[in-house]
Amino acid sequence: MRKVHIRRVVLFVLAMTFGFTAAVMVQSQGVTGQKPSDVFFTEDGLESQITGVRLRFQDGGEARFFADHRYAYLPGDGRDERRGTWEVYDRGQVCVRFDSGAARCDTLVRSADRMVLIAASGDRFPVRSLLSLR
């Protein structure tokens, strides 16, 4: 009985150690596609930048961040508008849960006096303009 208890304690300690290490590594990693000159927004700073704003990208796509946290994205080809809700997190991360059930998180940074969206894949999409939705 004592061996079983000791084995469980050892397994628990190992799980906690490796789980904690993995969590620390994830937090300390940069964003895929990040450049050394990128400056991250704070959570509050990004929220104030995108609330009630329409972001137009160089590829013609447009993301709308409504004040009530509704979200709409219209690709540059004008087809298949995607709708959902958005939320901002630390280090410029904005996550969208689409009405279809899909979700994605991207990062917005300031790079050379311009806002750039870095997709989870590392692809960079410069913002051409910010326009009010009002």
Side-chain angles (χ1 to χ4, degrees):
M1 189 77 141
R2 187 166 170 85
K3 284 184 179 181
V4 172
H5 178 69
I6 292 172
R7 190 176 301 151
R8 285 183 184 164
V9 170
V10 169
L11 289 174
F12 175 76
V13 169
L14 288 172
M16 293 302 293
T17 301
F18 287 114
F20 178 73
T21 303
V24 170
M25 288 172 36
V26 169
Q27 290 174 349
S28 64
Q29 288 178 351
V31 173
T32 302
Q34 173 187 350
K35 293 184 177 179
S37 60
D38 290 344
V39 177
F40 290 94
F41 288 95
T42 64
E43 185 176 337
D44 291 337
L46 180 58
E47 186 144 1
S48 69
Q49 286 283 312
I50 66 172
T51 299
V53 170
R54 179 173 34 171
L55 301 181
R56 286 195 177 155
F57 298 97
Q58 296 291 346
D59 67 356
E62 184 176 285
R64 299 176 191 159
F65 296 89
F66 296 93
D68 63 359
H69 285 252
R70 286 180 299 121
Y71 174 85
Y73 177 76
L74 184 63
D77 62 11
R79 296 184 292 163
D80 300 328
E81 182 178 61
R82 296 172 187 98
R83 295 178 177 269
T85 57
W86 63 274
E87 197 65 43
V88 170
Y89 297 95
D90 196 27
R91 290 192 56 147
Q93 192 174 54
V94 61
C95 297
V96 175
R97 178 160 308 281
F98 293 96
D99 293 345
S100 67
R104 68 177 288 149
C105 293
D106 299 316
T107 302
L108 285 161
V109 297
R110 175 78 52 198
S111 183
D113 296 327
R114 140 175 292 167
M115 187 181 283
V116 176
L117 182 140
I118 306 173
S121 63
D123 294 329
R124 296 173 66 91
F125 298 93
V127 175
R128 185 176 64 191
S129 62
L130 285 85
L131 305 165
S132 174
L133 287 169
R134 297 176 202 149

